Amino acid sequence: MSLCGSVSAVHLNFQSNIISMGSVLAFRSGKSMGHTLRIPFKKRSSKGVCPLQVVCIDYPRPELENTVNFLEAASLSASFRSAPRPTKPFKVIIAGADMNFFLILLCLAGLSTAKYLADAGHKPLLLEARDVLGGKVAAWRDGDGDWYETGLHIFCPGNPRSLNLGLLRTNLMFKTGIWAILKNNAMLTWPEKVKFAIGLLPAMLGGQPYVEAQDGLTVKEWMKMQGVPDRVTEEVFIAMSKALNFINPDELSMQCILIALNRFLQEKNGSKMAFLDGNPPERLCMPIVNHIESLGGEVWLNSRIKKIELNDNGTVKSFLLNNGNTIEGDAYVIAIPVDILKLLLPEDWREISYFKKSEKLVGVPVINVNIWFDRKLKNTYDHLLFSRSPLLSVYADMSVTLYDTITCVNYRILQSMLELVFAPAEEWIARSDSEIMDAIMKELAKLFPDEISADQSKAKIIKYHIVKTPRSVYKTVPNCEPCRPLQRSPIEGFYLAGDYTKQKYLALMEGAVLSGKLCAQSVVQDYELLRTLGQKKLTRASIH
């Protein structure tokens, strides 16, 4: 959700077809194909009118520092800062790519890798294909000064690595979470809840080994095998599956759901969530970039990798950029989605098992839509909302949830801006914006029958932006887990970072951050080996 894809469990307001969740982790899209529809709207005159004041209350930041997850993440982070300073800092090249219809921006995995390498005393150089930071958490500003994004960016205290990454302590707006599933008998009856709880017992007793063993089953297959009523899947897990990975329960691996439930149901503060208090490029990415640059690292925009050039022994010689420049370093990292990796792979590497097994991993399409209405919708909440709509995954009224950032223009305080994740999107990604908007308005008319109609005879659209991502997070279907590569490749000095690489958070924002941290750890651990290889390379060059 990925939202750029995501998850959570639990604050449900059973009204119409709306599910309000008090906790989610999101991971989203990446390519901007934004289109804006503009409808004339007369701004209210401020003459003689008292300034409108908005009073909003958020929940205090949870105490995270003493949780097991936070301490584990903090310990690994501290290990980079306390590591012995390298005799000769490595220049580590970290690249993203933009090819054909893909738009891959410098993602959290790349930023995470660079941040922790800089902490360890090395000199990362990040190559950004475009002039915008963020990757799957990118955002753009339109001509009115309003931001539109690639997806709903949600942070979960139960997965604290992204909170440790970006100097985010003061940049998050926390919301509460309520175990309303247990209280809401209109959604699930008590017998259904009991059967679901019994079905979960093997996961609770079997722990992580059991969770990993369920990778071969879809959510739908697992529910049937455990005797969980179909209505539980229909009422809860269709929405949850689409939020986690933009696909339905008949495709999603049950391992993904069990990992999410473990995070959100068992860990302290797992039911809470936080919204970033502004746009991701400025409030999330730039603090990380500033930190990297303060330690001697660099970030180059508009630097798109075209080719991985090899030495005679099959190791990386350099990265060739689209502008014709070649960049050489002591180590190389590719922090791009798996679909682009497969296009960039040198021919000599394609039959190596490490790379070949990733052929099964593919990105899932997703569409994010930002809609500005001419009025304030009454039936929205200060939460992420999950929908039972077959086309809408999750959405939020950003004028309520992020009141500080939506009110660039005063009159917007009186209006709603819905941000929606349109999924599954495979059959819609190639359709026109007008077709997508027609479908969305029909769904919104069902969700808000008193306020929205498909023909706009009620709430009217002022403008909208559509952001399409043909290949977003990797599609977490059964039997994908063995295909996910480790961050350290068999090619000396070459590493991977991205949510699809091996780490415990799957295709989530936390997964991208953790993959970058593990990638940086691999480079640091290999320092002496790579330094020795570099010295031998220099010796051979001097002999010739």
Side-chain angles (χ1 to χ4, degrees):
M1 334 176 262
S2 343
L3 208 193
C4 129
S6 303
V7 130
S8 165
V10 299
H11 170 91
L12 295 136
N13 289 297
F14 190 84
Q15 174 189 2
S16 182
N17 289 322
I18 300 174
I19 308 176
S20 168
M21 307 297 275
S23 138
V24 179
L25 178 63
F27 205 5
R28 276 79 83 91
S29 38
K31 170 168 185 176
S32 170
M33 296 175 63
H35 172 77
T36 303
L37 169 68
R38 299 201 46 77
I39 298 175
F41 184 83
K42 186 176 180 180
K43 296 182 181 180
R44 294 176 175 83
S45 172
S46 59
K47 186 176 180 180
V49 178
C50 295
L52 180 60
Q53 295 184 344
V54 178
V55 179
C56 299
I57 299 175
D58 279 302
Y59 296 89
R61 183 180 186 274
E63 293 184 6
L64 305 175
E65 285 75 9
N66 294 323
T67 62
V68 173
N69 240 9
F70 191 95
L71 291 172
E72 176 190 296
S75 175
L76 182 52
S77 298
S79 70
F80 293 101
R81 297 189 296 271
S82 62
R85 299 297 89 177
T87 306
K88 177 184 178 295
F90 271 175
K91 179 181 180 181
V92 183
I93 314 301
I94 305 168
D98 178 348
M99 302 178 65
N100 299 325
F101 60 86
F102 293 101
L103 168 63
I104 307 303
L105 307 175
L106 195 56
C107 62
L108 287 180
L111 288 168
S112 173
T113 304
K115 190 268 186 192
Y116 292 112
L117 284 173
D119 284 347
H122 295 289
K123 306 299 179 186
L125 168 59
L126 286 79
L127 304 176
E128 165 53 52
R130 297 290 295 268
D131 58 356
V132 180
L133 296 169
K136 298 185 181 90
V137 295
W140 295 263
R141 200 167 199 165
D142 67 15
D144 298 324
D146 295 317
W147 288 88
Y148 61 100
E149 307 180 73
T150 53
L152 288 169
H153 311 295
I154 307 298
F155 295 81
C156 177
N159 299 332
R161 295 182 189 277
S162 53
L163 276 66
N164 272 328
L165 168 69
L167 315 175
L168 290 174
R169 302 298 180 85
T170 60
N171 291 12
L172 296 176
M173 302 163 69
F174 283 88
K175 314 297 178 182
T176 189
I178 301 173
W179 301 113
I181 290 178
L182 298 178
K183 300 178 181 179
N184 194 325
N185 291 323
M187 187 173 189
L188 295 179
T189 65
W190 274 108
E192 288 170 332
K193 295 172 189 175
V194 170
K195 288 182 179 179
F196 177 48
I198 293 173
L200 281 178
L201 281 177
M204 298 172 66
L205 298 175
Q208 190 63 24
Y210 177 86
V211 170
E212 293 176 0
Q214 308 316 300
D215 178 51
L217 296 172
T218 66
V219 176
K220 191 172 182 179
E221 289 170 343
W222 186 91
M223 294 290 178
K224 184 176 181 180
M225 189 173 69
Q226 297 301 118
V228 178
D230 290 342
R231 217 172 72 85
V232 174
T233 301
E234 294 166 2
E235 293 293 310
V236 177
F237 288 101
I238 289 178
M240 191 174 182
S241 297
K242 291 196 297 180
L244 275 168
N245 201 236
F246 311 129
I247 57 179
N248 283 312
D250 59 348
E251 288 189 278
L252 183 67
S253 168
M254 188 61 196
Q255 183 192 34
C256 187
I257 292 287
L258 291 175
I259 288 174
L261 289 175
N262 178 55
R263 298 273 84 82
F264 293 109
L265 301 180
Q266 295 187 25
E267 296 182 5
K268 185 178 180 181
N269 298 310
S271 68
K272 291 182 173 62
M273 67 173 182
F275 285 82
L276 197 62
D277 67 349
N279 66 85
E282 292 181 349
R283 299 298 286 167
L284 172 60
C285 298
M286 278 311 300
I288 305 172
V289 171
N290 292 338
H291 177 80
I292 293 166
E293 292 179 338
S294 73
L295 296 176
E298 298 179 72
V299 176
W300 291 5
L301 300 181
N302 297 307
S303 300
R304 185 176 310 150
I305 182 174
K306 180 180 180 180
K307 183 181 179 183
I308 301 172
E309 296 188 317
L310 303 183
N311 294 304
D312 292 340
N313 64 356
T315 59
V316 180
K317 177 182 180 181
S318 62
F319 284 169
L320 174 65
L321 306 185
N322 265 14
N323 60 15
N325 293 333
T326 57
I327 306 296
E328 295 186 1
D330 299 295
Y332 299 85
V333 176
I334 289 291
I336 59 177
V338 66
D339 302 273
I340 307 299
L341 171 67
K342 289 186 282 189
L343 294 175
L344 273 178
L345 278 179
E347 195 64 36
D348 293 351
W349 292 0
R350 293 182 182 274
E351 294 304 313
I352 298 175
S353 173
Y354 173 86
F355 297 110
K356 190 174 179 62
K357 66 182 182 181
S358 67
E359 290 178 358
K360 184 176 179 178
L361 302 176
V362 296
V364 60
V366 67
I367 300 170
N368 197 67
V369 184
N370 297 257
I371 307 174
W372 284 258
F373 287 97
D374 67 346
R375 66 194 65 185
K376 198 79 162 183
L377 300 176
K378 299 176 182 178
N379 291 319
T380 60
Y381 304 88
D382 188 9
H383 283 289
L384 188 75
L385 304 174
F386 279 42
S387 169
R388 295 184 183 85
S389 161
L391 296 179
L392 303 182
S393 170
V394 293
Y395 63 97
D397 185 346
M398 306 301 275
S399 70
V400 174
T401 305
L402 293 182
Y403 38 81
D404 285 341
T405 61
I406 294 301
T407 57
C408 314
V409 184
N410 281 341
Y411 71 80
R412 293 281 163 81
I413 297 174
L414 299 177
Q415 299 162 329
S416 288
M417 192 280 266
L418 291 186
E419 185 168 347
L420 313 100
V421 178
F422 189 102
E426 188 167 358
E427 297 180 4
W428 290 86
I429 200 75
R431 297 197 189 186
S432 68
D433 289 349
S434 60
E435 288 180 287
I436 292 170
M437 284 303 300
D438 286 345
I440 288 173
M441 288 302 290
K442 289 176 182 177
E443 293 303 311
L444 289 179
K446 299 174 186 176
L447 299 177
F448 300 91
D450 298 330
E451 301 179 88
I452 296 177
S453 62
D455 62 1
Q456 296 190 53
S457 58
K458 297 174 184 176
K460 293 178 173 53
I461 297 174
I462 299 173
K463 65 178 179 180
Y464 66 81
H465 291 283
I466 292 178
V467 181
K468 295 179 179 178
T469 305
R471 292 289 183 267
S472 182
V473 297
Y474 81 95
K475 196 172 184 179
T476 314
V477 295
N479 299 312
C480 270
E481 194 62 22
C483 302
R484 300 173 68 197
L486 295 171
Q487 288 74 29
R488 179 188 285 111
S489 85
I491 308 299
E492 292 173 342
F494 182 76
Y495 305 84
L496 299 178
D499 61 83
Y500 68 92
T501 62
K502 197 75 171 178
Q503 41 73 27
K504 65 180 180 180
Y505 290 117
L506 302 181
L508 301 176
M509 183 156 49
E510 288 290 322
V513 172
L514 180 54
S515 77
K517 184 179 284 190
L518 295 175
C519 180
Q521 183 184 49
S522 296
V523 176
V524 172
Q525 290 173 345
D526 293 349
Y527 172 71
E528 291 298 334
L529 171 63
L530 296 177
R531 186 165 173 262
T532 301
L533 292 172
Q535 290 172 342
K536 290 181 179 179
K537 180 180 177 181
L538 287 174
T539 301
R540 287 196 301 269
S542 63
I543 293 175
H544 286 87

